[in-house]
Amino acid sequence: MTSIDPAALPEDSAQSRELRLANLSRLITRCDPWFRALGLGFLSPVWRMLIGDNPRGQIADLWRLAGVPVLAIAGFLALWATLAPMVQTSLGAIPGPAQVWEQAQVLHADARAAGVKEAEFYARQADKNAELVAAGKADEVKDRAYTGKPTYYAQIATSIKTVFFGFLIATAIAVPLGIVSGLSPLANAAINPVVQIFKPVSPLAWLPIVTMVVSALYAGGDGGMSKSFLISAVTVTLCSLWPTLINTTLGVASIDKDLVNVGRVLKLGPWKKITRLVLPSALPLIFTGLRLSLGVGWMVLIAAEMLAQNPGLGKFVWDEFQNGSEQSLARIMVAVLTIGIIGFLLDRVMFALQSAFTFSANR
């Protein structure tokens, strides 16, 4: 029987604990860039405190990353609640945080009730169709789409789909043009005046033109995109492609000249030169442009939806403004906060993608 030295157990246990803590510390260090990219940087000091890594220093970081922002938000809400009742409008006083939260709950309840109605509609339709099939009247079976008023969540989803559709079109146009403009001074001389002229144009100026063009070229119909969706998306494209185009041009034009010389020495073809030398070097600035474009597109979308009547958040705000009920202001402020939060989340997603695909500290 093997004998066990009791004196060795505490030392082995301490060494094993130190090894586990070291592994956890390395894991937290690896995860920290992702926490910061997603706006969750406060999680790193929390986890380090839990493993006993310099608690005093982690408290200072936690206060800076979480305590100060929470305190600032609390101060903003207190100031809002204090000043809002002092401002009287034709619809009554400006709603405070409590009234806005109440309307957010009402919108949530309305969405759930609408979901129940939609489920009941399709259940009744399925039962009726089953009865027709059983009676030998399969030719009378009809599948109708639910035509109830879109819920608040459905309007959010519509806005997100619209902005991404327009953003993807803008990216597909801006990145290739930016690469060409960055590689060729002649192309840059031709493209730059167009950028400088159209970059400041408001979406309100583009919208009538886009509406007429889309109406002339696109008939729409069942199963396809609605005209209001396409008009809003194209307006987003026209207003959001410029930051990506400008930053792509700048990123490509500023790549290290040594890399260009290496490409010449290796006699790389145009495609390999772009994919192996140009894009990896220009990606940080390209992603900066993409983040700016997505932010611009999200702002532009709300105005476009108001006028094009695309059933998204912009139309929700416009309908509530036209409604003029006692709850309208509070509902509009719910939409404003929703727009701001979604805009923040979209930027965090783009920043996370930038962190994943680029290796530069220049963000």
Side-chain angles (χ1 to χ4, degrees), residues 332-363:
I332 290 173
M333 297 193 77
V334 171
V336 168
L337 293 174
T338 302
I339 291 165
I341 292 170
I342 293 176
F344 168 76
L345 293 176
L346 292 177
D347 182 72
R348 290 295 91 189
V349 169
M350 289 301 300
F351 187 79
L353 290 174
Q354 180 178 358
S355 301
F357 290 103
T358 64
F359 303 94
S360 171
N362 299 323
R363 301 298 187 199

Side-chain angles (χ1 to χ4, degrees), residues 210-277:
V210 173
T211 301
M212 288 187 290
V213 171
V214 170
S215 299
L217 300 178
Y218 182 71
D222 296 337
M225 292 180 292
S226 66
K227 284 187 179 181
S228 61
F229 175 88
L230 194 57
I231 290 168
S232 301
V234 173
T235 305
V236 168
T237 298
L238 290 173
C239 295
S240 67
L241 63 85
W242 311 115
T244 298
L245 176 54
I246 294 169
N247 278 271
T248 302
T249 301
L250 181 61
V252 172
S254 61
I255 64 174
D256 195 338
K257 299 303 179 184
D258 291 337
L259 290 176
V260 178
N261 294 331
V262 168
R264 290 173 182 169
V265 171
L266 297 176
K267 297 181 179 179
L268 296 178
W271 178 251
K272 287 187 177 180
K273 178 183 176 182
I274 291 172
T275 56
R276 297 187 181 183
L277 296 180

Side-chain angles (χ1 to χ4, degrees), residues 58-325:
Q58 304 310 326
I59 288 176
D61 287 343
L62 186 61
W63 169 251
R64 177 175 56 85
L65 295 172
V68 173
V70 169
L71 191 62
I73 292 173
F76 168 75
L77 292 176
L79 189 64
W80 177 11
T82 302
L83 297 179
M86 301 179 184
V87 181
Q88 295 291 329
T89 71
S90 59
L91 300 180
I94 295 292
Q99 291 83 5
V100 172
W101 174 247
E102 179 183 350
Q103 288 305 311
Q105 292 177 307
V106 170
L107 289 171
H108 174 69
D110 290 345
R112 294 188 62 180
V116 172
K117 288 182 180 179
E118 183 177 0
E120 291 175 348
F121 169 82
Y122 284 115
R124 289 194 302 269
Q125 180 173 262
D127 292 341
K128 183 178 180 180
N129 289 340
E131 292 175 0
L132 290 173
V133 171
K137 300 178 180 179
D139 56 321
E140 297 181 15
V141 170
K142 295 181 180 179
D143 291 322
R144 295 185 175 89
Y146 182 71
T147 56
K149 183 180 178 182
T151 65
Y152 186 64
Y153 297 132
Q155 290 172 306
I156 292 174
T158 298
S159 289
I160 293 175
K161 286 189 292 185
T162 307
V163 77
F164 270 111
F165 187 79
F167 171 71
L168 291 176
I169 296 175
T171 302
I173 296 171
V175 171
L177 279 180
I179 292 173
V180 172
S181 181
L183 291 175
S184 170
L186 189 62
N188 185 48
I191 294 173
N192 187 58
V194 178
V195 174
Q196 299 305 322
I197 291 172
F198 290 112
K199 180 167 64 72
V201 177
S202 166
L204 300 180
W206 281 119
L207 200 60
I209 300 173
V210 173
T211 301
M212 288 187 290
V213 171
V214 170
S215 299
L217 300 178
Y218 182 71
D222 296 337
M225 292 180 292
S226 66
K227 284 187 179 181
S228 61
F229 175 88
L230 194 57
I231 290 168
S232 301
V234 173
T235 305
V236 168
T237 298
L238 290 173
C239 295
S240 67
L241 63 85
W242 311 115
T244 298
L245 176 54
I246 294 169
N247 278 271
T248 302
T249 301
L250 181 61
V252 172
S254 61
I255 64 174
D256 195 338
K257 299 303 179 184
D258 291 337
L259 290 176
V260 178
N261 294 331
V262 168
R264 290 173 182 169
V265 171
L266 297 176
K267 297 181 179 179
L268 296 178
W271 178 251
K272 287 187 177 180
K273 178 183 176 182
I274 291 172
T275 56
R276 297 187 181 183
L277 296 180
V278 173
L279 282 179
S281 300
L283 268 182
L285 274 174
I286 292 175
F287 266 104
T288 299
L290 290 174
R291 288 173 63 192
L292 291 172
S293 288
L294 187 56
V296 169
W298 184 242
M299 288 189 295
V300 164
L301 174 70
I302 305 306
E305 286 183 334
M306 282 184 180
L307 298 180
Q309 292 295 289
N310 188 44
L313 285 171
K315 186 176 185 299
F316 173 84
V317 172
W318 182 253
D319 288 345
E320 289 298 330
F321 175 71
Q322 296 288 352
N323 183 23
S325 68

